[in-house]
Each structure stands twice: as C-alpha cells, then as structure tokens.
Amino acid sequence: MKASQFFISTLKEAPADAEVVSHQLMMRAGLIKKLGAGIYNYMPMGLRVIRKVEAIVREEMNRAGAVEMTMPVIQPAELWQETGRFDKMGPELLRIKDRHGRDFVVQPTSEEVITDVMRQDIKSYKQLPKNLYQIQTKFRDERRPRFGLMRGREFIMKDAYSFDRDQEAAKASYQVMAAAYRRIFDRFGLTYRAVAADSGAIGGDLSEEFQVIAATGEDAIVYCPGSDYAANMEKAEALAPQSERKAASQAMTKTATPGKATCAEVAELLAIPLETTVKSLVLATDTLDETGKAVKTQVWLLLLRGDHDMNEVKVGKVPGLADFRFATLPEIEEHFGCKPGYLGPLNLQKPVKLVVDREVAALADWVCGANEADFHITGVNWGRDLPEPELVADLRNVVAGDASPDGKGPLAIERGIEVGHVFYLGTKYSKAMNATFLGENGKPQFLEMGCYGIGITRLPAAAIEQNHDAKGIIWPDSIAPFTVVLCPISPDRFPDVKAAADKLYGELLAAGVDVILDDRNERPGAMFADWELIGVPHRVTIGDRALKEGQLEYQHRRDAESSKVDASTALDFLKGKLGLAVAS
Amino acid sequence: MKASQFFISTLKEAPADAEVVSHQLMMRAGLIKKLGAGIYNYMPMGLRVIRKVEAIVREEMNRAGAVEMTMPVIQPAELWQETGRFDKMGPELLRIKDRHGRDFVVQPTSEEVITDVMRQDIKSYKQLPKNLYQIQTKFRDERRPRFGLMRGREFIMKDAYSFDRDQEAAKASYQVMAAAYRRIFDRFGLTYRAVAADSGAIGGDLSEEFQVIAATGEDAIVYCPGSDYAANMEKAEALAPQSERKAASQAMTKTATPGKATCAEVAELLAIPLETTVKSLVLATDTLDETGKAVKTQVWLLLLRGDHDMNEVKVGKVPGLADFRFATLPEIEEHFGCKPGYLGPLNLQKPVKLVVDREVAALADWVCGANEADFHITGVNWGRDLPEPELVADLRNVVAGDASPDGKGPLAIERGIEVGHVFYLGTKYSKAMNATFLGENGKPQFLEMGCYGIGITRLPAAAIEQNHDAKGIIWPDSIAPFTVVLCPISPDRFPDVKAAADKLYGELLAAGVDVILDDRNERPGAMFADWELIGVPHRVTIGDRALKEGQLEYQHRRDAESSKVDASTALDFLKGKLGLAVAS
C-alpha cells in the first residue's frame, strides 16, 4: 500500500471526551471516528487492525473444528420471549418495532437464534458435536458508553456455540475452545491471563475469562505467582484462616465514637488495627406472590472485617441470598433501631439472619457498631457475647497476600481487560427452547451447550492500553495495521532515495509483507510523528546521506534509536525481524 | 474441508413460501435458514458463497483505488435529518429509539455518514480524490419481503462513495468505478449487462445498473443486439417515428362500443389494429402552500397508443409533471363528465393540459373515448378535429422491435436482476450537509460525490436464477461454496478407495484448491443428490471398480455423464479444468 492511496488522518489532540489512553490514541491515530455515543466509524487504518484480529480468530476457530455462519443483526422478539430474556434483560437490550409494529431486538449475543437453528437441524446424536460461530456486529445499549471501543454500544464480537450429546462431551468441547483461545491470544502477541470466572447458577469450574493485562484495566485479576492459579475477583476464593481463633482477652465495652461511622475512622480513634473491626452490611430478600409482589421480607446481617470488601457473587451463593438486595433505610431502622454507621449484631430491635465471613468468625476481641448513634462496642467475642455463628462463608474479595487456594503461596492482584470468555452453558437454553435430539437410546434429550466470545473491536483497545508510550501506539506485529513502514526522505529531490524505497517496497510486497510506503512527501518530523502515533512496529528510513554509503536506517517502534542496515541486505534483515524464512 | 467437519443440511422440499427458484434452492441446499420475514441466517454453506463474492468485490475495489472502512449499522438520526431523508424516506427506513429516547436509524445506505466523515477530514483539494467503501449489514423494512435474499430486509451491501474536487474529476471517478464493476462482474462468471439507468433530478448519463440476466428477473432490460446499447426500461428512449404522419382519410364518427372499456376490446370490436387506438390517462399536480396543503390542482391528459405502456420516469420529466399523481375519480368526472374507459381529448367538461406521446402525435385516423359511457370516436385527426398537439414527448416504455436510439437496428428486451449500481451524485449530499473543502482558488467548494453499490447477498440468488437445473444449483467456479467435491464410494469397505480419495484431497489442498471431501459414508445416490443440489461445479467420484483399472470419474455439474480420468493424472486434469497452472 502506498500512503498516498490510503486514508491517513492523524490528530494533534484527542477529543475531550476520550478518557483512557486507548481511546485517545485510537482517535488521534485516525483508527476510529465517533458517530454518536458509543458508536464509531472504523476508519481504514482501524479496520485493518480489526481485520487482522478477525483473521487470527477465524483461523484458530476453523482449526478447532468450529464452522462459520452469520446470524442476523435484527432478530424477531419471539425467540427472546421463549427464553424470557426479552423481558428479563434490562435496557441494554435494544428493542425495536418494525413497520408492522412487530417486536425485534438488535442482537447483543445470539444464544436464542443458534439454539433455534440447531433445534431445526439436529435430529440425532450422530450429528453431534457441532460448533458454529459468527463474527458479527452486536449492540448493547450501555447506559454510559465510554472509553471508545472499550465500552461501546455497537461492536463486533466473535460468538461461538457448541452443541453436544451429554455433559462429558460438552466439557470436552469446552476444553477444545479453551485451548483454541490460548492459541488465539498467544498469536495476538499480548500479555494475557486465562482466569477462572464464576459460572453463575450452572456451577462447576467451566468458565474462564481471557484478560489482557493492563494497569488501566477495569477488572481485578487474582493470581498466584508461584503457580498457574488465576481467577477474577468475583471467583477467587478466600481460604479460611489457618490459625485457631484466639481466646477472648477483653471485656465487652460500649465506647463513644462520636461521628466515626466507618471502620477506618473507628480504628484510628481507638488506635486499634483495622483488622479487628467488623463492618455490618444489611441485606434483604423478598418472597414474591404469583404476581411478583413482595409478600414477605427477610432481613440479613452480613459481618465482614473492616479491611475487607463484600463480594456480591459469593454473597449471592449463600443459601437463601440468590436474589438479595440491599435493605432500605426503614428496614434497617426497624431491625436495628439505628442508622447505618453504628450497626452491629448486638442489641437488635428485631431478629435478623446472621451471615459471617470466615475471617470474622475467626476473630477475638473485635469491634462493631452498638446499634446506637455515635457508639461502638469493643472486646466482642463469639460464644461469650453472642452465640457461635451458624452461617459462616467466604463473603469477601481476596486481597494481595491472601493464601492461594492451591496452597502454592500468596496471591497477587493485577488489572486486566476482559476480551474473551469461554462458558459452559449446560441445558439452560435448550430446555427453555425445547431443543432436543434423539439420543443413542432413542429418547429425546436436551442439547448440551457452551458459548465462547471474543470482543473483536475491544481487543485493539486492550492491546493499546498494554502497548503504548508517550508518542503513541506500539502494535504487536500480528495485529498492526501495517507491519513495516518505509519512509523515504525527500524522494522528490533525491531520485536514488525514491528508487531505493520503491525497490524495497516491491521486494517486501513480493515477500508477502504488509508494508506501507509513505510517498506523501511529508517533512521527516511530521512523517515520523504520524507513524509513531499510528504505531507501525518496523520502520525503515531511506535517506540520501546514508544511502550514499549503501545504508538504510531501521528502527523498531520500541527502539530508542535507529540502527544502520546495509541496503543490499535490508530485505533479509527485515524478514529476520518479522520471523519470515530467509533464502540462504 | 471434510464434509464430516462441516455443516451440511439439505432438504427434500422447499418451504411453501419460497416462490422463486433461487429461494427454493438456497433453502433446500442449506445455504440460508429463515429467521423471520426477510431475515435469514447465512448458514455455513451460504456464507462461503457470500465470502467469495465479498473477496472478489474487495480485490477489485482496492485495485481501483478505493479504501475500505466500516460505518455503523445503527446511526444517529441527526445526520439523516440534515439531508431530510429521516422524514422523506418511507417506512422502509427502520427508525428506532435508544434507552434515552433518542432517534436512530438502521442504515439502508450510508451517504449521510460518509459525508459527515469527509466534511471533518477533507480540508483541501490536495486531499482529493478519495473513494471509501464498506461491506456491511444493511436493513430495509420492505413492506412485503420475498424471494429469499432477492428482496430481504436485512442484507449485505458493498457501498462505495467517491469524493472529488469538481464535476470533471467526479466523472472520472465514476468511470473508474464503472470499469471496476465490469471487472467484478466478469470475474463472477455470470452473464450480465451494464445498462444505462435514469439518474433522476441530477440528469446526465452517469448512472448504470449491473443486471444479471435471468428469465425470472424483476427488471426489463432493453438492448440492441447490433450494438452495445443497453438501458433499463425506465431509461430506454423511444425514438420519434421516422415516417411522416399520413393524411386524414376517415370522417370523425361517434361509434357505440358498449361495455368495451379497453383499447384491446375496442380494437377487437371494430376490427381495427390496436396501434390505431389511443388510451387516455388522467394525471394531476398540486400546488402546495407552506403547510403542505394543496391549494390548486391542475389536471393533465396523457395520450398513449393503445399498445403502449406509460413510463412513469419519462412522464415525471415532462415540465410541470415532476410530482404528478393519478387523478381521483371525482377529478376525472369533473373534467371529462365520464368514468374511465371512455375518456378522450374531445368534448371536455373543463380544460385539461394535454401531453401526447410521440407515436400518438404521428397517428392519423385514430380512435379514442368519446367522454360518454359506451361510446368511442373513430377517425380522429390532429389539426382537423383538434389542434396540433403542443406538448409532445416520449412517455412510453419501448417495446421489442423499436429502433435503437443509436440507430444500430431494432431493440430487444430481456429480463434481469439488478445487483449493482453506479451513480454520479453531484453535490446533492455535500450541499445538504455543508461538506466543503478549500479549492485551488482558496475558496470553499462543495464536494462532488458518486455512490456505487453491489448487493453482496443478492448476487448469489441472481447467480442461481441464471444457473440451475432440475437437480439444483450450478455455481460458476468463482463463487461456488467449494470448487471441487471428492466422492469416495464406500471408503469404509474399500481401503484403496479411501487412500486414493485422501491422497487426491491432500494434493488439491496443497494446490490451493477449495475442495471438500465427502467422508460422511452416505449412499452414492444420496451423496450425489446433495452435491448436485448444492451445485459444486467439479465432482470426482472414486469407486472401487474404476480404481482397480487406475481410473477415477470426473463430472462437471453441467455434464450429463461422467468421464473416466487416469488416477495418476487426475490432479493435473483438475488443475486444467480450474484454469490453474499445471507443472510441466
């Protein structure tokens, strides 16, 4: 490609609404152009990156035995009503009406449609397993779209769906996909982790997220540097404390803590470790009648150590708390006789169900609210001041330094950007949509499913968050818009420069290298700034002075300076840099 | 590809709603699966065809200097309001609201968005010309979607847009695209015609449709077998009659024609040539006030020969008739004192504007309605019975045998399916959206535009309408889902058959041939029926008996019978059939 025939459009400044570096650089490098909130044009430079991402995904999906198809963007509501998602999903699901007033949705994913396809086509276990995927435009009407392609409304996703005859086969299909994902992310050339994720109501361990590591990532990733354990924050287990609970050593004492409504403030006031304070979180669950009206409410009190954070997914797994909500102020006052800030398990107005984090259950001489404004209680002990806790569970987020669940040392935490997810679905959709096949025993059975997504347009953003510097983007070779850029200096004045650039350009093209020749006659400074911003990994400068000595200049985007290369061996030199076979 | 790893799903019967052969065969061959009215899943077999169409289009667009990008499917209404299309377009434009109640459309094309992109990016004439294209999902909410992918609601279109500094440059860009389209359609391997089309209000001859010739096509194509003249029916000019009008030879006579309300019935009753009868069509035009209310109405009478059909596009070009409508019954009765069926230009109740087709203006002794039920007038003559017509124009569709406008012989008519369109837009969109650039003179000028579409998902349907037989589809090599299918007979019983099939499969793959090996262990009859239905052009059968004599069987999808090929030379034989280089 010659730059003059391409569409290059760089900006000096990023727009004000670009908050994260990937968004800023994608706008400045002319990869995307905003059309509306969370809706972007993929400009020619950006589309080249997206197409390379797609190509790698497609190759590895095909290699893993998945077959490509395309499902519609606009889908009839009927199928979504069969699974209940048409009503259950929030306003992220863009619902539309056609000219006849019939309901449709713009696909955010396609479980319903693929299940509909398969229930028509799969008659017998002999036709299984099957894995079908698409790379297609999706839409999620995010309340607050932001960060460019990181959290857009319209985006491209690869979604694959596996269909199997039984759980065992489905789990094998899942493992095939998980392995394909590792190959895909290896090929992208990014630093990533496959982390165990929560698999919701289905249970089991068959859910993994693929997280691109970046300090700016929205997700916290928990891993063990001493092993291959890795999980997202929702999933990572906090082990029970290894040491026995100490004996009570303090008397229970009501203590004035005026205006100190947080554990941190109380710990500071009383000069005690934050780890000995206990925070009280009040939840509620409702029993509904047939019309969905709450007819009975149960209030729960969660106790967590003052230095720990509640993990909503773990709390949701406590028996009875699947559909919990936070209690209202009137509910809290009714049961505790006090406003939040000074709550605790002692001196209740009305009984509540107590759920205690493992760490709190192991505490002695702890501090909690007195259920009286501006007062806390110190020296509280289980079995003495209140009964031994009955319902003890892991309710908290792990913190760095916690023991790894695999016993291989302490956990560490880093940030990541989720760009892929593999998930064992079981029969959730096949049961809802009555998608059956005849098993070997001649009886109808529900299809066992898995689903597997990759955020095609999010991936370039994640790659940039991980790989950039003050000058711009630094692409890995695999997904760079161009792998090599040739920058002739003043080719209009120096025919030998033009000739050398044209020759190398032709040779690289013939070798199958994705090269762009900058023939725009820009000044060197502006030209270099453009390509550093755009992030093409390999740059060759062809200047008159060096050329007179038979030399070109090579600079990798990560190199601080350029190095001289013999013009006569430049082709082989570049092939070596790109990992291509060099003719001997 | 091995068939066992692919997704093959053929049907014995087409669904009842599949009216045309391409729809029937695409459903039966498992290329598409219906999701809703006019909305289809592109199944793996169909997607392969679509991808090949896309690849050819992409290659030739790139070769012609166009640059690929992608515009959003869901587009903010604001831009569409700038050009007025948000209100002007009918219910085919799918309008939607997001969660905040803001208006959006699902793109049917993207003139507004690309113009918005370019008005931001193009500052100077030095950046021109530019041509950007996308291959992307589109939606048109057709009132009556039908014929499968031929007239669906969701479809894939390639749309390109050129931007130039002046008309001359824009016309050059148009010609570059028109030439690229010829290469594209040549490569598809289909019989097609590029026909001149009407360019609406813009005028000039810079609008061509690319029509795939098929007896079932919706469009009539006019062409001259003796030259390269071709136009669609809307555009094709009917030349003025070459011979002088004959002298009047009959007296004007009111004649009873009871119950004969059509020209054909009158001609039969009176035993006269249909060509001497004249039909009367009553139109009306309204003068609107500022609120859009009609404040004045003009009634027009169109005269056409009884054997000719009105051409609405030509009528719309008559001065004053740009926004014509058909007159209402009360309007007709008010001006003619008579119901339709017996109308004519004589004995009017109120004056009307007369517009006369060239052929009618050349008639002598003609017949028209008497403006009295059950009566016609015969022997009517211009200049004697009514004044010479003032407003004479080409108002009719041409018919086979009419003289070609280029004077190279008579016209012929065939049917076609429109799959591409190149169109010079001028400044229609750039003016509406104030998309300017600084010209060489330093002054802002409007961008000169062209637009260029190809119906990516319609093309396979058109190809099938043109290429099929009783057994199924017959794909041209270029867009076949697979180019070659290998059919081993009972490979499980005959190891030599399996070995020969596997060997040839490996050799063809290595030669870059898009081959599928049918390893499903189907009976030969069912296997052949599947591949004949699917339409793979080249089939090699590997059977035990022939193989013992060192032979395979080759059959092109168009061949009535198979022919023997030496197994040892089968690879070169197939390469020859596919037009690939054969090693000497």
Side-chain angles (χ1 to χ4, degrees):
Chain A
M1 180 67 70
K2 293 187 178 177
S4 62
Q5 290 162 9
F6 196 60
F7 193 92
I8 296 171
S9 172
T10 54
L11 299 173
K12 286 259 182 298
E13 301 286 336
D17 69 344
E19 300 169 50
V20 295
V21 70
S22 59
H23 189 189
Q24 291 162 357
L25 290 176
M26 290 185 93
M27 298 290 290
R28 286 189 52 210
L31 303 180
I32 57 175
K33 195 181 282 289
K34 186 173 176 176
L35 179 60
I39 300 178
Y40 292 87
N41 292 297
Y42 308 140
M43 297 301 290
M45 194 69 80
L47 186 62
R48 291 183 73 91
V49 176
I50 292 168
R51 290 271 186 261
K52 289 194 180 181
V53 172
E54 287 179 357
I56 288 173
V57 170
R58 185 173 280 124
E59 271 182 40
E60 295 299 337
M61 291 303 292
N62 293 347
R63 187 192 308 246
V67 181
E68 189 173 5
M69 64 173 293
T70 305
M71 288 173 265
V73 175
I74 311 278
Q75 305 184 345
E78 284 83 356
L79 294 178
W80 288 74
Q81 283 156 345
E82 277 192 58
T83 61
R85 289 213 293 176
F86 187 76
D87 295 317
K88 256 184 273 176
M89 277 186 77
E92 296 79 38
L93 181 66
L94 187 59
R95 296 162 176 88
I96 57 184
K97 284 186 191 293
D98 75 357
R99 63 189 291 162
H100 303 296
R102 284 188 288 255
D103 287 314
F104 288 80
V105 306
V106 184
Q107 67 161 347
T109 59
S110 274
E111 283 83 358
E112 282 80 358
V113 170
I114 193 69
T115 305
D116 178 59
V117 165
M118 298 308 274
R119 73 179 166 184
Q120 294 175 60
D121 259 318
I122 301 297
K123 314 283 183 216
S124 153
Y125 69 95
K126 292 178 192 163
Q127 291 168 272
L128 299 173
K130 287 289 177 211
N131 185 325
L132 288 158
Y133 75 98
Q134 65 173 345
I135 297 176
Q136 172 73 316
T137 303
K138 307 280 194 300
F139 200 92
R140 271 185 208 154
D141 201 357
E142 297 273 354
R143 192 174 57 81
R144 200 159 86 84
R146 59 200 161 134
F147 304 157
L149 299 196
M150 198 82 84
R151 191 165 290 284
R153 295 204 283 179
E154 184 168 317
F155 55 96
I156 300 176
M157 192 169 97
K158 186 284 297 175
D159 42 331
Y161 304 91
S162 65
F163 294 84
D164 281 282
R165 54 190 291 187
D166 55 30
Q167 267 199 25
E168 191 186 355
K171 288 176 181 179
S173 292
Y174 172 94
Q175 296 301 348
V176 167
M177 277 296 107
Y181 270 47
R182 284 177 167 76
R183 283 197 303 273
I184 289 168
F185 285 93
D186 285 344
R187 285 184 62 183
F188 286 148
L190 301 175
T191 305
Y192 74 96
R193 276 186 201 280
V195 308
D198 184 65
S199 51
I202 289 162
D205 280 331
L206 295 176
S207 173
E208 279 167 277
E209 292 170 358
F210 288 75
Q211 295 265 4
V212 169
I213 305 306
T216 52
E218 283 192 285
D219 297 339
I221 299 168
V222 180
Y223 69 103
C224 176
S227 73
D228 60 359
Y229 177 83
N232 66 11
M233 185 53 85
E234 292 177 344
K235 168 84 176 173
E237 187 185 357
L239 292 181
Q242 294 301 301
S243 48
E244 294 269 300
R245 186 201 296 157
K246 291 185 182 152
S249 69
Q250 300 176 8
M252 190 168 80
T253 311
K254 186 169 148 188
T255 308
T257 52
K260 308 299 181 189
T262 70
C263 287
E265 289 167 339
V266 171
E268 193 189 354
L269 176 73
L270 304 180
I272 55 170
L274 186 58
E275 293 77 17
T276 63
T277 63
V278 167
K279 71 173 98 173
S280 296
L281 297 164
V282 190
L283 307 181
T285 50
D286 301 308
T287 307
L288 308 177
D289 68 7
E290 286 159 14
T291 68
K293 217 184 81 184
V295 290
K296 207 181 125 192
T297 293
Q298 172 67 54
V299 170
W300 303 66
L301 174 61
L302 250 67
L303 297 185
L304 284 171
R305 238 170 55 182
D307 58 329
H308 287 155
D309 288 326
M310 167 175 161
N311 182 310
E312 295 197 14
V313 168
K314 292 177 180 176
V315 170
K317 291 191 169 178
V318 172
L321 281 176
D323 295 313
F324 80 85
R325 59 175 171 83
F326 287 94
T328 62
L329 207 52
E331 286 167 344
I332 292 173
E333 292 185 336
E334 180 189 350
H335 289 77
F336 294 83
C338 177
K339 285 200 164 59
Y342 303 91
L343 305 180
L346 296 159
N347 307 321
L348 295 166
Q349 301 292 313
K350 277 190 169 185
V352 298
K353 278 201 185 174
L354 195 65
V355 191
V356 178
D357 183 65
R358 289 165 171 171
E359 295 283 350
V360 173
L363 280 184
D365 299 329
W366 42 283
V367 178
C368 62
N371 287 330
E372 186 181 336
D374 297 332
F375 284 93
H376 280 77
I377 302 178
T378 63
V380 182
N381 281 280
W382 296 110
R384 184 189 76 180
D385 309 322
L386 70 180
E388 285 292 339
E390 285 178 14
L391 201 44
V392 177
D394 174 18
L395 304 174
R396 68 175 178 97
N397 286 337
V398 296
V399 293
D402 279 343
S404 175
D406 66 1
K408 302 278 177 66
L411 291 174
I413 294 177
E414 60 191 349
R415 311 294 302 177
I417 300 164
E418 186 189 345
V419 284
H421 200 151
V422 291
F423 201 98
Y424 165 62
L425 284 171
T427 55
K428 180 179 169 186
Y429 289 90
S430 57
K431 273 188 179 154
M433 297 182 67
N434 198 29
T436 63
F437 63 97
L438 286 185
E440 209 163 352
N441 60 6
K443 288 181 186 163
Q445 297 174 25
F446 290 112
L447 287 161
E448 279 278 339
M449 292 172 59
C451 67
Y452 316 94
I454 291 181
I456 299 289
T457 41
R458 181 186 273 190
L459 189 107
I464 294 171
E465 290 291 338
Q466 187 177 86
N467 301 281
H468 65 270
D469 63 15
K471 294 175 183 169
I473 303 167
I474 307 172
W475 291 108
D477 286 9
S478 60
I479 57 174
F482 295 96
T483 321
V484 177
V485 58
L486 303 185
C487 296
I489 307 295
S490 304
D492 46 343
R493 284 203 291 142
F494 302 109
D496 58 332
V497 167
K498 184 174 187 311
D502 287 348
K503 177 168 175 285
L504 184 56
Y505 175 66
E507 288 169 345
L508 287 167
L509 277 187
V513 174
D514 193 10
V515 57
I516 184 161
L517 170 66
D518 194 339
D519 59 346
R520 295 176 298 164
N521 279 315
E522 293 272 1
R523 290 174 301 103
M527 182 161 57
F528 293 161
D530 268 357
W531 295 111
E532 282 164 351
L533 174 58
I534 292 165
V536 171
H538 305 274
R539 185 178 83 202
V540 177
T541 306
I542 302 107
D544 179 59
R545 196 178 307 176
L547 197 60
K548 283 209 163 41
E549 293 162 18
Q551 293 191 313
L552 311 178
E553 283 169 84
Y554 168 82
Q555 187 167 1
H556 189 277
R557 180 64 181 77
R558 290 195 187 278
D559 294 341
E561 291 185 10
S562 66
S563 51
K564 294 275 198 295
V565 179
D566 274 353
S568 60
T569 58
L571 179 64
D572 281 352
F573 172 85
L574 283 168
K575 282 180 166 180
K577 288 281 178 190
L578 302 176
L580 299 175
V582 176
S584 57
Chain B
M1 181 65 71
K2 292 187 179 179
S4 61
Q5 290 162 9
F6 197 61
F7 194 91
I8 296 171
S9 171
T10 55
L11 299 172
K12 287 257 182 297
E13 301 287 336
D17 70 346
E19 299 168 50
V20 296
V21 70
S22 59
H23 188 189
Q24 291 161 359
L25 290 176
M26 290 186 94
M27 297 292 290
R28 285 188 53 210
L31 302 181
I32 57 174
K33 194 180 285 288
K34 186 174 176 176
L35 179 60
I39 300 178
Y40 292 86
N41 292 296
Y42 307 141
M43 298 300 290
M45 193 70 81
L47 186 61
R48 289 184 74 90
V49 176
I50 292 168
R51 290 273 186 259
K52 290 194 180 181
V53 172
E54 287 179 355
I56 289 173
V57 170
R58 186 172 280 125
E59 272 182 39
E60 295 299 337
M61 292 302 292
N62 293 348
R63 188 191 309 245
V67 181
E68 189 174 5
M69 64 172 294
T70 304
M71 288 174 265
V73 175
I74 311 279
Q75 305 182 343
E78 284 83 355
L79 294 178
W80 289 73
Q81 284 156 343
E82 277 191 58
T83 61
R85 288 213 295 176
F86 187 76
D87 296 315
K88 256 186 270 173
M89 276 187 78
E92 296 80 37
L93 182 65
L94 187 58
R95 296 163 177 85
I96 59 184
K97 283 186 192 291
D98 74 357
R99 62 189 293 164
H100 303 295
R102 283 189 288 255
D103 287 314
F104 287 80
V105 306
V106 184
Q107 66 160 349
T109 59
S110 274
E111 283 83 358
E112 280 82 357
V113 172
I114 193 70
T115 305
D116 177 60
V117 166
M118 298 307 274
R119 72 178 167 183
Q120 294 175 60
D121 261 318
I122 301 297
K123 314 282 184 216
S124 153
Y125 70 94
K126 292 179 192 162
Q127 292 168 270
L128 299 172
K130 288 287 177 211
N131 185 324
L132 288 157
Y133 74 99
Q134 65 173 345
I135 298 177
Q136 171 73 316
T137 302
K138 306 281 194 302
F139 200 93
R140 270 184 209 157
D141 201 359
E142 296 273 354
R143 194 175 57 82
R144 201 160 85 82
R146 60 202 162 127
F147 305 157
L149 299 195
M150 198 81 85
R151 192 166 288 284
R153 296 203 281 177
E154 185 169 315
F155 55 97
I156 300 175
M157 191 169 98
K158 187 282 298 176
D159 42 331
Y161 305 90
S162 63
F163 294 84
D164 281 282
R165 56 190 290 187
D166 56 28
Q167 267 199 24
E168 191 187 353
K171 288 176 180 179
S173 292
Y174 171 95
Q175 296 302 347
V176 167
M177 278 294 108
Y181 269 48
R182 284 177 167 77
R183 283 197 302 274
I184 289 168
F185 285 92
D186 285 345
R187 285 184 61 182
F188 287 149
L190 300 174
T191 305
Y192 74 95
R193 273 186 203 280
V195 308
D198 184 64
S199 50
I202 291 164
D205 279 332
L206 295 176
S207 172
E208 281 168 274
E209 292 169 358
F210 288 76
Q211 297 266 2
V212 169
I213 304 306
T216 52
E218 284 191 282
D219 296 338
I221 299 168
V222 180
Y223 68 103
C224 174
S227 74
D228 61 0
Y229 177 83
N232 68 10
M233 184 55 85
E234 292 175 344
K235 169 84 177 174
E237 186 186 358
L239 291 181
Q242 295 300 302
S243 47
E244 294 268 301
R245 188 201 295 160
K246 288 184 185 155
S249 68
Q250 301 174 8
M252 190 169 79
T253 312
K254 185 168 151 188
T255 308
T257 52
K260 308 299 181 190
T262 70
C263 285
E265 289 167 340
V266 170
E268 192 188 354
L269 175 74
L270 304 180
I272 55 170
L274 185 58
E275 293 76 16
T276 63
T277 64
V278 167
K279 69 172 97 173
S280 297
L281 296 165
V282 189
L283 307 181
T285 51
D286 301 310
T287 307
L288 307 178
D289 68 8
E290 285 159 13
T291 67
K293 219 185 80 183
V295 289
K296 205 182 125 192
T297 293
Q298 172 68 52
V299 170
W300 303 66
L301 174 61
L302 249 66
L303 297 185
L304 284 171
R305 240 170 54 182
D307 59 330
H308 286 156
D309 289 325
M310 168 176 161
N311 182 309
E312 296 197 15
V313 168
K314 292 177 180 176
V315 170
K317 293 193 169 176
V318 172
L321 281 176
D323 296 312
F324 79 86
R325 59 176 173 83
F326 287 94
T328 63
L329 208 51
E331 286 167 343
I332 293 172
E333 292 185 336
E334 180 189 350
H335 289 78
F336 294 84
C338 176
K339 285 202 165 56
Y342 303 92
L343 303 181
L346 297 160
N347 306 321
L348 295 166
Q349 300 291 313
K350 278 190 170 186
V352 298
K353 278 200 183 174
L354 195 64
V355 190
V356 178
D357 184 65
R358 289 164 169 172
E359 294 284 348
V360 173
L363 280 184
D365 299 331
W366 42 283
V367 177
C368 62
N371 287 332
E372 184 179 339
D374 298 331
F375 283 93
H376 279 78
I377 301 178
T378 64
V380 181
N381 281 280
W382 295 109
R384 184 191 74 182
D385 308 323
L386 70 179
E388 285 293 339
E390 285 177 15
L391 201 43
V392 176
D394 174 18
L395 304 175
R396 69 174 178 98
N397 287 336
V398 297
V399 293
D402 278 344
S404 174
D406 66 0
K408 302 279 177 67
L411 291 173
I413 294 176
E414 59 191 349
R415 310 296 301 179
I417 300 164
E418 185 189 346
V419 285
H421 200 150
V422 290
F423 201 97
Y424 166 61
L425 283 170
T427 55
K428 180 179 170 186
Y429 289 90
S430 57
K431 273 189 180 155
M433 298 181 65
N434 197 31
T436 62
F437 62 98
L438 286 186
E440 210 164 351
N441 59 7
K443 289 182 187 161
Q445 296 175 24
F446 292 111
L447 287 159
E448 279 278 339
M449 293 172 58
C451 67
Y452 315 94
I454 291 180
I456 299 287
T457 41
R458 181 186 272 189
L459 190 109
I464 294 171
E465 291 291 338
Q466 186 178 86
N467 300 281
H468 66 270
D469 62 16
K471 293 176 183 169
I473 303 166
I474 308 173
W475 291 108
D477 286 9
S478 60
I479 58 173
F482 296 96
T483 320
V484 176
V485 58
L486 303 185
C487 296
I489 308 294
S490 305
D492 48 343
R493 284 202 293 140
F494 301 110
D496 59 331
V497 166
K498 182 171 188 315
D502 286 347
K503 176 167 177 284
L504 184 55
Y505 175 66
E507 289 169 346
L508 286 167
L509 277 187
V513 174
D514 192 11
V515 56
I516 185 162
L517 170 65
D518 194 339
D519 59 347
R520 295 176 299 163
N521 279 315
E522 293 272 0
R523 291 174 300 102
M527 182 161 56
F528 293 160
D530 268 357
W531 295 112
E532 283 164 353
L533 175 58
I534 293 165
V536 171
H538 305 275
R539 186 178 83 201
V540 177
T541 305
I542 302 106
D544 179 59
R545 198 179 304 177
L547 196 60
K548 283 209 164 43
E549 292 163 18
Q551 293 192 313
L552 311 178
E553 283 169 86
Y554 168 83
Q555 188 167 0
H556 188 276
R557 180 64 182 75
R558 290 197 185 277
D559 293 342
E561 290 185 11
S562 67
S563 50
K564 294 276 199 292
V565 179
D566 275 352
S568 60
T569 59
L571 179 64
D572 281 351
F573 172 85
L574 282 167
K575 282 180 165 179
K577 288 281 178 191
L578 302 175
L580 300 175
V582 177
S584 58

